[in-house]
Amino acid sequence: MKNQQHITVNTAEGQLAGSAEGEIAVFKGIPYAAPPTGERRWRPPAAVTPWHGCRDALAWGSASWQSREVCMEIGGGDPALPDEDCLYLNVWTPEIEPVRPLPVIVWIHGGGYALGAGSLAPYSGKPLAARGVVMVTLNYRLGHLGFFAHPALDAEYPAGKTINNFALLDQIAALQWVQRNIPAFGGDRHNVTIMGESSGARSVLSLFCSPLAQGLFHKGIAQSAYALPDVSRTEALALGEKVARHFSLEQPSAEQLRALPAEALTLLPPGMRIGPTPIAGDAVLPLPMLKVFARARQHKLPILIGSNSDESSVLDYFGVNASALVADLRRRQRPVYKLLNWMYDLHDDRALGRAVSRDMAFTAMSQLVVAAQCQVGMPGWRYWFDYVSERSRDLCPDGAWHGAEIVYTLNTLDQVPAIEAGREITDGDRAFAEDVSQYWLNFARYATPFSSTLEGKVAWPAWRPDNDITLCLGRQGEAHISLKENFMKRRLRILSLFRRAMVKLK
């Protein structure tokens, strides 16, 4: 493949020409649905019009409307010039015609449903494709373009068929594209893993709860999924009407709403922004994701899930002051505050607030999911990530920040620039990324509903109530891989009892 300048494949929609990057074939900017513009705004993704001849797949497709500056600062890189015409995906494959079809990993980017793109450097599919899988990344509608409810739009649907989660439906359309077309890229349509971080992980779990996603994938990886409640349809409708009034539309028609400038919808004040969770109650997500897992009604498929040691590094994005929240708890719920001090042995409001917020918003999510997996007889693997790159440990005194694991699980350390001179990636970092990503690759290759162990540097057993095992990737920032029994078990059990008295991130 390395001697070819262009590689062509035939898809259901038409022929595509990709490019060679060494031994890897890359196809960029493939449309998986029609542009959601004009009359198609706030509608389910429509089919792509087939094309004649060979279409170039050499350049990234546009990302959804967002703040380019904010994405460059905290969202993983430059999404280039965003556009409402954004339903594109990218494919990396090591072999167009393998002896056996290759496992497929579909990466769903995070960014609070407001930022991000499948083309960002940390999400490059090249490193894992070089190790024998077909990688897919995608763009989907963000912000109010991706999640929106208004009576004028709801009136276009039959009773019980309303769509508000357009972003999730975009992801489902991308998975349908994978089912139609991934064999042309050497992929196995019967072994598809969906994988995401933060809101991408939240998407993975939401797809596990969506009846419309049934049969489109076979397992899931959720990195740093947060436990914020989904937005109710009542809340979403009220917000939609508030947004309309902001544009001086008191009782707008659907046509008037669709005529609003896309850019203006991304520049709304904080009180008018959606998320960072989907809307529960439409045809895509009939029940809140947390309720589905609490009742163990998710799709019966394997899951790998976990979180990082300093997830509270993202609190500023949610507008949460951990110190102030703990101080308020000390005033209002003194017995609970004393119990937290005893559990964590932390007597500084900042440190205690960060630890409690991390565990309530992130750590508890992993415990809920693996417990639900056991209830439906499906394997679930729980991890804890606590590694910091060797030359940046002075910048991360609280541990691995939110999103830090991505370049290790996707093995993309060398795809992203150093933070600054003198903080370049080391061979130790690269070796740790190889070990971590191997677990993810083995999950994508081999995990089935009947699996009990994932192979890697340390054999990793699936979580069970009577065998509460967590794989710890890193220890106090340093490279160390080990299994821990009953990791945070007592703490999480007590936190669940006091959930209503705890901090709620909203």
Side-chain angles (χ1 to χ4, degrees):
M1 193 177 292
K2 64 183 178 182
N3 295 321
Q4 296 177 258
Q5 293 299 310
H6 295 288
I7 302 97
T8 60
V9 297
N10 294 310
T11 72
E13 291 76 33
Q15 191 175 58
L16 290 168
S19 59
E21 295 184 6
E23 295 290 339
I24 305 301
V26 185
F27 298 81
K28 302 175 181 178
I30 304 170
Y32 65 85
T37 57
E39 284 299 308
R40 290 196 180 113
R41 178 191 288 181
W42 292 319
R43 293 189 191 276
V48 172
T49 301
W51 57 86
H52 299 287
C54 189
R55 177 186 178 119
D56 282 344
L58 306 174
W60 307 119
S62 297
S64 179
W65 270 106
Q66 60 189 282
S67 169
R68 184 179 181 184
E69 293 73 20
V70 175
C71 191
M72 291 172 68
E73 181 182 356
I74 65 171
D78 186 358
L81 296 176
D83 196 287
E84 195 168 0
D85 176 6
C86 64
L87 303 185
Y88 298 93
L89 56 76
N90 317 293
V91 179
W92 289 260
T93 178
E95 188 59 62
I96 298 295
E97 297 180 346
V99 175
R100 294 180 180 175
L102 301 172
V104 180
I105 298 177
V106 179
W107 172 260
I108 304 173
H109 72 76
Y113 292 121
L115 304 170
S119 58
L120 300 183
Y123 311 149
S124 170
K126 184 177 180 180
L128 293 192
R131 293 163 71 183
V133 298
V134 176
M135 290 291 299
V136 179
T137 68
L138 62 124
N139 299 341
Y140 53 92
R141 284 174 277 186
L142 300 173
H144 283 300
L145 295 171
F147 302 93
F148 196 69
H150 191 280
L153 297 174
D154 283 5
E156 297 179 332
Y157 297 93
K161 302 294 185 181
T162 306
I163 301 294
N164 303 122
N165 291 297
F166 304 98
L168 295 181
L169 209 53
D170 292 343
Q171 296 166 12
I172 289 170
L175 292 172
Q176 291 169 335
W177 182 95
V178 168
Q179 287 300 308
R180 285 195 308 276
N181 291 311
I182 211 64
F185 299 84
D188 185 354
R189 61 159 63 103
H190 302 294
N191 187 8
V192 176
T193 300
I194 57 173
M195 173 181 175
E197 183 269 344
S198 194
S199 60
R202 188 62 184 251
S203 294
V204 167
L205 297 182
S206 296
L207 293 174
F208 263 76
C209 302
S210 174
L212 303 186
Q214 181 83 43
L216 296 177
F217 61 94
H218 309 94
K219 59 197 96 168
I221 299 174
Q223 300 174 196
S224 300
Y226 42 84
L228 302 185
D230 287 324
V231 178
S232 70
R233 281 220 343 114
T234 300
E235 294 174 295
L237 284 165
L239 180 60
E241 292 181 295
K242 185 177 181 181
V243 169
R245 288 193 297 271
H246 176 79
F247 293 105
S248 301
L249 299 174
E250 288 297 329
Q251 291 184 316
S253 65
E255 291 74 18
Q256 287 175 307
L257 290 170
R258 290 191 172 101
L260 292 171
E263 183 177 11
L265 292 167
T266 68
L267 300 175
L268 293 167
M272 293 185 193
R273 295 174 189 167
I274 191 72
T277 57
I279 298 168
D282 76 339
V284 184
L285 193 62
L287 292 174
M289 180 273 290
L290 291 173
K291 182 176 288 187
V292 173
F293 275 96
R295 296 177 178 178
R297 295 183 179 177
Q298 72 277 14
H299 297 319
K300 295 181 179 180
L301 302 167
I303 288 180
L304 188 159
I305 187 168
S307 56
N308 297 356
S309 55
D310 188 28
E311 297 286 9
S312 291
S313 56
V314 78
L315 288 179
D316 288 342
Y317 181 80
F318 291 119
V320 175
N321 183 322
S323 299
L325 289 168
V326 169
D328 183 60
L329 187 66
R330 184 172 59 243
R331 289 191 300 270
R332 295 186 300 105
Q333 298 282 347
R334 188 75 180 181
V336 175
Y337 172 77
K338 288 185 175 180
L339 178 60
L340 292 176
N341 268 313
W342 170 75
M343 283 197 315
Y344 286 87
D345 195 23
L346 294 171
H347 305 281
D348 171 76
D349 281 357
R350 174 190 175 276
L352 181 60
R354 289 176 73 89
V356 174
S357 298
R358 173 201 67 199
D359 293 342
M360 288 295 295
F362 292 93
T363 316
M365 188 75 248
S366 301
Q367 187 77 7
L368 171 67
V369 169
V370 293
Q373 288 292 100
C374 284
Q375 287 184 262
V376 296
M378 286 291 110
W381 287 268
R382 180 185 173 209
Y383 75 86
W384 173 258
F385 190 87
D386 188 24
Y387 181 80
V388 178
S389 60
E390 291 182 333
R391 292 178 177 167
S392 298
R393 288 174 183 163
D394 59 313
L395 301 178
C396 305
D398 299 300
W401 38 266
H402 184 70
E405 86 292 349
I406 294 172
V407 291
Y408 295 89
T409 61
L410 294 179
N411 203 15
T412 54
L413 284 167
D414 289 316
Q415 307 294 312
V416 298
I419 299 173
E420 59 187 34
R423 297 188 185 277
E424 291 82 5
I425 297 304
T426 68
D427 288 342
D429 296 332
R430 293 186 184 93
F432 193 72
E434 287 281 328
D435 290 339
V436 171
S437 58
Q438 189 62 53
Y439 284 108
W440 269 236
L441 286 167
N442 286 342
F443 178 84
R445 287 187 182 118
Y446 307 122
T448 74
F450 309 103
S451 299
S452 60
T453 303
L454 289 181
E455 296 302 323
K457 195 165 187 179
V458 176
W460 181 8
W463 188 94
R464 298 198 313 268
D466 61 347
N467 190 33
D468 185 345
I469 298 293
T470 299
L471 181 71
C472 293
L473 300 166
R475 184 173 61 188
Q476 296 182 330
E478 298 187 356
H480 185 82
I481 296 178
S482 62
L483 301 175
K484 286 193 176 181
E485 295 184 21
N486 303 320
F487 183 63
M488 292 193 187
K489 183 175 183 178
R490 180 183 299 174
R491 179 185 299 178
L492 293 176
R493 181 176 294 171
I494 294 174
L495 286 180
S496 69
L497 296 176
F498 288 94
R499 185 177 297 275
R500 293 187 179 183
M502 294 297 98
V503 176
K504 288 187 178 180
L505 307 183
K506 293 191 76 173

